[in-house]
Amino acid sequence: MEQQRPVPGAQIPLEGAVNFRELGGYPAADGRRVRYGLLYRGGNLDTLQSPADRALVQSWKLNTILDLRSNGECAKHPDPSLPGVQYRRICAMRMRDGSEMDFSADGIERLAAEKAAFEREAGHPVHDFYWFSILYRQMPFGNPAYHALFELLEQGRVPLLFHCSCGKDRTGIAAMLILLALGVSRETALADYMLTNTYRQAQIEASLQGKTEAERELLLSVEGVSESMGAGALDAIVERFGSYERYFQAEYGLTPSRLQALRDRYLE
């Protein structure tokens, strides 16, 4: 009897972490679906310490791990070494000078300085929400981590796990880009992005306790994700290129034939 496949976007049950999932099962425009067991997304891997968690991760038979975090984050929460798995780390968020945007404790001072420079140019204080909204609109362009991601996809280096610290922002944008490249609709890709708020609900509610509705909207993205931020990144692609297909060709060299080959590899 064939094993029942999980609902697309379902959380993978782990003892040490939330918001780990795979991209399998999502429907594409050509009537096919994303293949299961190839594309996994998540957060810090050092939380997966129990024998059950380690066994489950090993069952994925990973070929490659792409770590989207900064060096500072990795130093504090290093990925475990998994036998036979190739590991790459390329930070998916960058300062204006191209250096890593470090969300570790040691990187907060540099982040504050970066924001202060932005505010000086704007001529007025800016809430973190609005600053990050602008950063999100820049993430799909010239991002070395996402270029590496699509190289790995074209090379067939799967099963692949791509992750950041919480599996919500850098990982969430990466997942949307993969789904769009495979012909999954914008609405479905954005819905997958927003599932973080379901799987991290406990963390979100703890951080927002006692906040007003206005404060909750602005602070949601600290532990969860903001729909306007995620949608803004996708809107920026269409505004600049007119279509996702033109973006994938200009940004990653995915000509129509190469994009079709990618879809044939990852759809069933």
Side-chain angles (χ1 to χ4, degrees):
M1 183 176 180
E2 185 178 350
Q3 185 177 7
Q4 186 174 4
R5 290 173 163 181
V7 174
Q11 180 171 228
I12 297 171
L14 293 160
E15 296 177 359
V18 297
N19 208 27
F20 277 72
R21 6 184 184 132
E22 67 161 297
L23 301 186
Y26 281 121
D30 65 4
R32 293 183 290 177
R33 292 181 176 270
V34 180
R35 291 177 61 190
Y36 281 92
L38 297 181
L39 304 168
Y40 294 89
R41 52 173 293 178
N44 286 339
L45 302 185
D46 65 339
T47 60
L48 307 180
Q49 297 292 336
S50 74
D53 283 354
R54 291 197 296 270
L56 186 54
V57 172
Q58 289 173 1
S59 75
W60 301 342
K61 302 185 185 304
L62 295 174
N63 176 283
T64 308
I65 291 173
L66 178 61
D67 188 342
L68 304 175
R69 301 174 300 167
S70 67
N71 186 57
E73 292 169 282
C74 296
K76 187 173 182 180
H77 297 281
D79 276 0
S81 177
L82 299 177
V85 180
Q86 299 183 53
Y87 174 83
R88 290 188 68 180
R89 186 195 68 78
I90 307 178
C91 187
M93 289 193 78
R94 300 275 163 168
M95 301 285 198
R96 287 187 294 181
D97 64 2
S99 61
E100 295 183 348
M101 186 168 283
D102 185 1
F103 293 96
S104 69
D106 293 338
I108 297 302
E109 187 174 340
R110 283 201 67 204
L111 283 172
E114 183 90 351
K115 186 191 172 193
F118 177 86
E119 290 177 328
R120 285 194 298 272
E121 292 179 3
H124 56 80
V126 176
H127 192 281
D128 284 354
F129 176 87
Y130 299 109
W131 180 48
F132 275 103
S133 293
I134 293 170
L135 294 177
Y136 270 55
R137 291 178 63 87
Q138 299 169 354
M139 283 177 68
F141 310 108
N143 192 320
Y146 296 158
H147 277 259
L149 173 62
F150 277 94
E151 288 172 8
L152 292 170
L153 293 176
E154 282 205 278
Q155 293 166 4
R157 297 273 295 277
V158 291
L160 166 70
L161 167 63
F162 55 100
H163 79 95
C164 54
S165 290
C166 297
K168 65 186 189 72
D169 299 306
R170 293 161 287 187
T171 296
I173 299 294
M176 285 199 292
L177 294 179
I178 293 172
L179 292 173
L180 291 171
L182 297 181
V184 175
S185 71
R186 177 189 189 277
E187 293 73 21
T188 299
L190 189 57
D192 178 76
Y193 176 81
M194 293 302 297
L195 282 173
T196 281
N197 289 349
T198 298
Y199 301 137
R200 288 183 57 83
Q201 185 176 8
Q203 291 87 345
I204 293 168
E205 289 305 318
S207 71
L208 297 181
Q209 190 172 9
K211 304 296 183 182
T212 67
E213 283 303 314
E215 289 172 329
R216 289 174 68 91
E217 182 178 353
L218 292 173
L219 296 173
L220 171 63
S221 60
V222 175
E223 292 292 345
V225 292
S226 162
E227 184 169 5
S228 66
M229 282 188 186
L234 302 186
D235 292 342
I237 291 173
V238 177
E239 290 166 10
R240 188 176 299 194
F241 289 101
S243 72
Y244 299 122
E245 286 75 14
R246 291 194 190 101
Y247 160 75
F248 287 116
Q249 180 163 349
E251 187 72 24
Y252 306 107
L254 290 172
T255 60
S257 61
R258 286 172 62 182
L259 190 61
Q260 186 60 49
L262 197 73
R263 292 174 178 177
D264 290 341
R265 182 188 293 271
Y266 294 107
L267 298 177
E268 60 183 9

